[in-house]
Amino acid sequence: MSKLWGGRFTKQTNHLVDEYTASIGFDQALAEEDIQGSLAHVTMLGKCGILPQEDVETIKAGLNKVLDKIHKGEIEFSVSDEDIHMNVEKNLIAEIGPVGGKLHTGRSRNDQVATDMHLYLRKRVVELSGMLYELQKSLVVQARDNLDTIVPGYTHLQRAQPILFAHHLMAYVSMFQRDIERLMDSYKRINVLPLGAGALAGTTFPIDRHFVAEQLQFDRVYENSLDAVSDRDFILEFLSHASIIMMHLSRLSEELVLWSSTEFNFIELDDAFCTGSSIMPQKKNPDVPELVRGKTGRVYGNLMGLLTVLKSLPLAYNKDMQEDKEGMFDTVATLEGALQLFAPMIASMKVNKSRMREAVNKDFSNATDIADFLVGKGLPFRQAHEVIGKTVLYCIQNGKYLLDLTMDEFKQFSDLFDDAIYQVLQPETVVNARNVYGGTATDQVADAIKRSEVLMNMTEQWLEEHQ
Ligand code: ARG
């Protein structure tokens, strides 16, 4: 059989054109969604009296047969049939004869492909939210185990103030919570049906778009037929959210790589999640977080790519838009690959509590607290800052830490010091002094964990409702 659109043509298509314009190489990933949409469409054609019920039944049986054959790998897709839509239709006609040609009544590939993409992304957004939720669970388990682990907190990658390691991990739980909420919110704009828009203007057949939407469980139908076939905002939005997720993962990756270096030695990633070197026998490399960090680039690239494809495109459908797919598939695969490794990698990570403690003992990250102590004695903060700055300089010049100083040494800098400072300077005191909502005090972090579990329960419920 020749081209489905061959009537107007007097020549065969150049085979290079076939190859260049075909999308079947990648859009075959939409086979299931394509057939799901066609089944709903043809059911509607029957219900609206556009096709006789007998034809509808034949077409449905044929579509199911084609789907079954695709699953079994019995269908050979062909570039001369360009894309998944025409490959399915060709195979349907081969299966049931000319009646298969009635399927495309009142429909265009333009509203068909948009529908497939909406169906596809709707599923992926739920899957990815579930994977982010699993990662949050791993982080929370580690946070619970580290409510008593104190570690230096950093700004400018310089030791700043001691914090609970649990607090540090919970920052990522908050970040991934926002990611999940963004995905859940985007679902509303993904779950809109384009079908029925035809090529761009609607159709002359008395179709029922809302009935199709109901069958496919879409919440709404697109308001405007031109917008329905040319909107790719929902993919852009997904790629934006995906970029932010990868950015978050890359920040966590960077910390894992640093923390597992000999210099930090704060954590050890499980052997099952590391790789070795072909030459240096002692090496254990954190390849997974490194690669996640690296793969962030391709996800940003996919976002930039599609933004650029869509820029200045006139309404409505243009072939340029076929370029929306590979970046989207690649982004889904990249995110899924990273997230499915991250949850168990975090869960199995060993935390070197004593090494973290040693780091906290050997630094000046309690300096703010001793300044605050002087403020409590009535000294203006700016002067207290100066006094402690000088005290720290003295320590550095004499190879000491603040807790090593005698009272006489302290008194050289201010008479306001008294014995209470030895308690004030203890890392536990320093951490627990930050007893504000969202701060690092143990009680606050324990509360924060409880609050995040409430949010995570809401995610779990949403996931159940959208499976
Ligand atoms: N393969 C095409 C795409 O992905 C399907 C829509 C084709 N429509 C058209 N008018 N040529 O965009």
Side-chain angles (χ1 to χ4, degrees):
M1 211 194 309
S2 59
K3 302 276 192 205
L4 288 172
W5 41 254
R8 187 231 176 275
F9 288 76
T10 54
K11 283 189 176 175
Q12 292 280 318
T13 317
N14 181 310
H15 75 97
L16 289 175
V17 172
D18 270 345
E19 271 159 38
Y20 191 69
T21 57
S23 53
I24 187 63
F26 47 88
D27 68 11
Q28 51 185 275
L30 295 171
E32 206 146 308
E33 286 78 8
D34 196 68
I35 289 176
Q36 189 188 359
S38 289
L39 285 167
H41 175 69
V42 76
T43 306
M44 179 278 292
L45 292 177
K47 180 214 156 227
C48 295
I50 299 166
L51 288 190
Q53 204 51 41
E54 195 191 319
D55 290 353
V56 171
E57 294 313 323
T58 312
I59 292 171
K60 280 169 121 176
L63 282 169
N64 283 319
K65 187 83 213 270
V66 173
L67 181 61
D68 188 48
K69 282 188 163 177
I70 292 175
H71 283 154
K72 290 185 177 140
E74 286 169 15
I75 283 189
E76 216 176 292
F77 294 117
S78 128
V79 284
S80 79
D81 292 324
E82 199 176 319
D83 55 26
I84 185 62
H85 325 295
M86 290 201 291
N87 269 275
V88 168
E89 191 176 324
K90 250 313 182 36
N91 277 281
L92 176 69
I93 293 168
E95 201 66 51
I96 62 174
V99 63
K102 295 187 178 186
L103 168 64
H104 212 51
T105 311
R107 183 177 79 168
S108 153
R109 272 186 297 158
N110 298 348
D111 55 351
Q112 185 182 356
V113 69
T115 301
D116 292 4
M117 303 282 275
H118 281 266
L119 286 168
Y120 171 86
L121 211 49
R122 177 172 87 175
K123 255 192 255 163
R124 300 290 100 79
V125 157
V126 176
E127 268 169 26
L128 288 165
S129 302
M131 296 175 98
L132 284 164
Y133 166 70
E134 290 301 322
L135 175 53
Q136 281 185 316
K137 284 204 288 192
S138 296
L139 287 162
V140 167
V141 170
Q142 285 285 7
R144 282 201 174 284
D145 283 351
N146 285 285
L147 267 170
D148 57 350
T149 310
I150 303 180
V151 68
Y154 296 80
T155 63
H156 310 265
L157 204 56
Q158 302 287 324
R159 291 187 189 172
Q161 293 173 348
I163 54 172
L164 292 185
F165 188 52
H167 194 49
H168 196 119
L169 295 173
M170 290 306 292
Y172 283 101
V173 173
S174 288
M175 289 148 80
F176 294 129
Q177 181 64 31
R178 289 196 293 276
D179 290 332
I180 290 173
E181 287 172 14
R182 269 187 283 272
L183 289 179
M184 295 194 310
D185 189 68
S186 73
Y187 190 94
K188 291 186 244 164
R189 286 170 295 283
I190 298 174
N191 208 25
V192 186
L193 175 75
L195 208 64
L200 75 164
T203 171
T204 56
F205 293 96
I207 60 166
D208 183 346
R209 298 184 67 200
H210 293 93
F211 177 72
V212 177
E214 233 171 83
Q215 286 182 87
L216 294 173
Q217 291 168 314
F218 280 105
D219 296 325
R220 292 178 291 141
V221 303
Y222 269 88
E223 282 298 314
N224 179 296
S225 60
L226 290 154
D227 185 41
V229 291
S230 64
D231 173 33
R232 295 294 183 273
D233 294 0
F234 66 105
I235 304 176
L236 282 178
E237 215 181 307
F238 169 69
L239 296 175
S240 311
H241 299 340
S243 295
I244 298 177
I245 294 169
M246 287 304 288
M247 179 272 287
H248 287 160
L249 287 173
S250 78
R251 295 181 78 169
L252 179 52
S253 294
E254 174 72 8
E255 302 213 281
L256 295 174
V257 171
L258 280 173
W259 290 341
S260 54
S261 67
T262 309
E263 285 69 16
F264 274 83
N265 192 18
F266 283 178
I267 59 152
E268 186 180 352
L269 295 177
D270 195 80
D271 276 7
F273 292 93
C274 292
T275 56
S277 156
S278 61
I279 169 169
M280 296 164 282
Q282 84 285 7
K283 291 290 294 282
K284 174 170 157 182
N285 295 329
D287 281 27
V288 172
E290 288 175 275
L291 207 47
V292 168
R293 200 173 54 181
K295 282 180 187 286
T296 304
R298 66 199 289 156
V299 173
Y300 293 2
N302 291 335
L303 170 62
M304 284 307 138
L306 186 59
L307 276 170
T308 312
V309 166
L310 294 170
K311 177 185 174 294
S312 316
L313 267 195
L315 299 186
Y317 178 84
N318 300 272
K319 185 75 171 181
D320 314 44
M321 291 164 77
Q322 181 167 288
E323 285 292 303
D324 60 1
K325 288 174 200 60
E326 284 160 292
M328 179 185 72
F329 293 143
D330 180 69
T331 299
V332 168
T334 304
L335 276 182
E336 289 187 348
L339 288 170
Q340 80 189 5
L341 281 169
F342 250 72
M345 185 175 68
I346 293 291
S348 60
M349 161 182 98
K350 255 198 358 243
V351 178
N352 194 345
K353 296 186 185 201
S354 58
R355 170 65 198 127
M356 287 181 177
R357 181 56 191 230
E358 199 190 331
V360 168
N361 288 343
K362 292 200 175 132
D363 74 1
F364 293 100
S365 60
N366 45 7
T368 314
D369 291 67
I370 193 165
D372 289 352
F373 172 86
L374 295 180
V375 169
K377 299 277 180 193
L379 199 62
F381 179 77
R382 203 39 67 205
Q383 284 178 38
H385 189 290
E386 172 81 12
V387 168
I388 304 306
K390 292 205 164 106
T391 316
V392 168
L393 183 61
Y394 171 85
C395 287
I396 292 169
Q397 286 167 345
N398 292 278
K400 295 183 170 192
Y401 292 99
L402 288 166
L403 270 169
D404 302 330
L405 297 184
T406 63
M407 190 42 64
D408 285 346
E409 286 177 299
F410 272 121
K411 292 275 192 197
Q412 291 170 29
F413 299 97
S414 169
D415 322 325
L416 295 172
F417 286 121
D418 62 45
D419 277 347
I421 58 168
Y422 292 106
Q423 191 49 47
V424 167
L425 286 171
Q426 293 300 328
E428 278 74 15
T429 318
V430 174
V431 163
N432 286 313
R434 277 151 185 83
N435 194 15
V436 295
Y437 189 101
T440 193
T442 313
D443 290 349
Q444 294 295 343
V445 177
D447 282 354
I449 292 179
K450 280 191 210 125
R451 287 195 300 272
S452 75
E453 283 172 338
V454 172
L455 294 174
M456 287 163 65
N457 284 339
M458 285 163 64
T459 303
E460 197 177 354
Q461 204 179 322
W462 184 88
L463 290 171
E464 265 165 35
E465 288 163 11
H466 292 82
Q467 286 310 332

